[in-house]
Amino acid sequence: MSEHPVHEPTGGPRAAPEAVRTHRARVLAVGAGAVAAVVAIALLLSVPLPRAPALLGFPILVGVLAWALYWRPRVELDPDALTFVDVVRTARIPWAEVRDFDVRFGLRVNTVGGRALAAWALPAAGRRAVARGSEANAGAGGAGGQSAPAPIPTGRSLRGELRPHMPPSLQRVLDYRRLAASGAAPRAQGIETHWHWGTLAAFAAALAWAGIALSAV
């Protein structure tokens, strides 16, 4: 994902949230969906109609999984909060609730209330990026000036230290957090979470359909 400047919120109409996701996830989703579509068409053309609808359960399951695992998940950024749209759940986290980030295994937010929430959509930064961040922000150390690796802070930009090793999608979130923190961020309203019941129902239906297809083989 290419980076572009973040603009401070103004008094005008509120813009739509900015969606952050990886190009690789979109490619995987499109590839899996294309394979599922080709298989479905092949089944309809080569299998007699009484059996073809049942066998469609296999490509339908692949298509649902591709959409739910790779196409839909994203991180949304707006001046008030960051939102994780994951596979079966959405969590909206006000910026005032964000204490720090941990990006070793993806994007995880540690909140002021002690919760940890991870985003499905974004990749890990890797050990090298985390090490650079820890070295750049080492301060209050123990004996001999040594300090334990710290989570990546949210109060300032880490462009200089992390750009060579930080995925652009993660860098975008960190930079947006810096600007949101420098503005008039509202007080925390609490973390809002809701489940994607429609997605769960689609999973269940696709699995049932695939089971029918398996029994029809």
Side-chain angles (χ1 to χ4, degrees), residues 37-202:
V38 169
V39 171
I41 293 171
L43 286 172
L44 291 174
L45 294 177
S46 62
V47 178
L49 284 181
R51 292 183 61 217
L55 294 178
L56 287 177
F58 292 129
I60 290 294
L61 179 59
V62 171
V64 169
L65 289 175
W67 173 78
L69 297 179
Y70 297 111
W71 185 267
R72 186 185 190 186
R74 61 193 181 274
V75 172
E76 294 183 349
L77 306 172
D78 67 63
D80 297 333
L82 123 126
T83 302
F84 293 166
V85 181
D86 293 334
V87 180
V88 296
R89 185 180 66 174
T90 290
R92 188 175 187 275
I93 311 164
W95 291 116
E97 284 280 0
V98 177
R99 189 187 72 206
D100 54 43
F101 293 112
D102 184 341
V103 295
R104 289 171 296 176
F105 307 109
L107 177 65
R108 188 180 74 174
V109 169
N110 298 314
T111 71
V112 294
R115 294 181 62 181
L117 297 97
W120 173 274
L122 298 187
R127 295 176 62 183
R128 296 180 67 187
V130 174
R132 288 286 187 91
S134 298
E135 292 166 6
N137 295 285
Q146 299 294 324
S147 60
I152 290 183
T154 58
R156 64 186 184 86
S157 174
L158 297 174
R159 286 180 178 272
E161 295 84 5
L162 295 182
R163 182 178 292 280
H165 306 294
M166 177 71 73
S169 52
L170 285 174
Q171 186 69 60
R172 180 68 180 138
V173 175
L174 297 180
D175 287 342
Y176 202 107
R177 169 66 178 99
R178 175 177 58 87
L179 291 182
S182 67
R187 295 303 306 167
Q189 299 296 316
I191 299 171
E192 301 174 9
T193 302
H194 68 266
W195 296 90
H196 301 160
W197 297 112
T199 301
L200 292 171

